[in-house]
Amino acid sequence: MTEASEETLAIELADLRPALEAVLMVADEPLEAAALASAVAHPTAAVVEALEGLSAEYTDQGRGFDLRNVAGGWRFYTREEYAGVVEGFVLEGQQARLTQAALETLAVVAYKQPVSRARVSAIRGVNVDGVMRTLLTRGLVEEAGQDHETGANLYRTTGYFLERIGITDLGELPELAPYLPDLADMEEELTEQVSQEALAAQPEEAAANGSGSEDAGESTP
């Protein structure tokens, strides 16, 4: 028995269909029957028969996808009656939807740009590193140089951001900036809060120090 025959026998007829499905699932272009036969180590005639059987099976079961032979190649396709669902998902679903955290972060960047991650985090009160990566990946935010004082990377919105919200320039944004706290104001508030906490802790420290002195005095002969 030849080596090719042994490879053919390695895939039983009952396993031919799953093997074809596995190959077709990762294919990014239509595959000819001969190429599929080579991949699954089975005769081309048997592969064609299996492909036709799979196509008929998907139709009978009412699957959302179909297996078609188009221009000499086999490939999975979305069934025509569900094309609108797929189009809606691709164009308006996964790419357009942002979490509430992402929307809030994007708003801060839009009104305070160019702005560093640290400043956005200070305004929102939470770490925004992960959200900023999402906005960068989606092309809504881009790097805009570095802060000359701190060296931190600065970020701004992109042309794609303007396109997505339907405006031509940032001057058309709604007047929301006055409602966003300024970093200087926040720093002043934080400084005042820290000072108050430090003053509140002083009596306790003084009492602790005084107690220590008395203990030391009692132990002196």
Side-chain angles (χ1 to χ4, degrees), residues 181-198:
D182 185 77
L183 183 60
D185 295 337
M186 293 188 66
E187 289 177 345
E188 183 177 345
E189 292 178 3
L190 290 172
T191 301
E192 182 179 352
Q193 180 179 352
V194 171
S195 299
Q196 291 176 350
E197 292 178 352

Side-chain angles (χ1 to χ4, degrees), residues 62-146:
R63 298 291 186 89
F65 58 90
D66 189 16
L67 179 58
R68 305 177 197 164
N69 182 8
V70 179
W74 292 85
R75 188 180 184 182
F76 286 124
Y77 292 88
T78 299
R79 203 168 291 279
E80 186 175 355
E81 52 264 43
Y82 300 109
V85 177
V86 176
E87 182 180 3
F89 172 75
V90 173
L91 298 181
E92 301 296 337
Q94 198 175 50
Q95 294 183 3
R97 293 176 183 171
L98 292 172
T99 64
Q100 185 66 29
L103 289 172
E104 292 175 2
T105 301
L106 184 57
V108 174
V109 174
Y111 285 103
K112 293 293 187 179
Q113 62 184 309
V115 62
S116 66
R117 292 192 187 191
R119 184 171 183 182
V120 177
S121 296
I123 292 174
R124 289 205 57 230
V126 295
N127 186 291
V128 298
D129 288 353
V131 177
M132 287 292 288
R133 283 195 293 270
T134 297
L135 296 176
L136 285 165
T137 300
R138 299 208 178 181
L140 296 167
V141 167
E142 64 184 3
E143 292 188 3
Q146 294 182 322

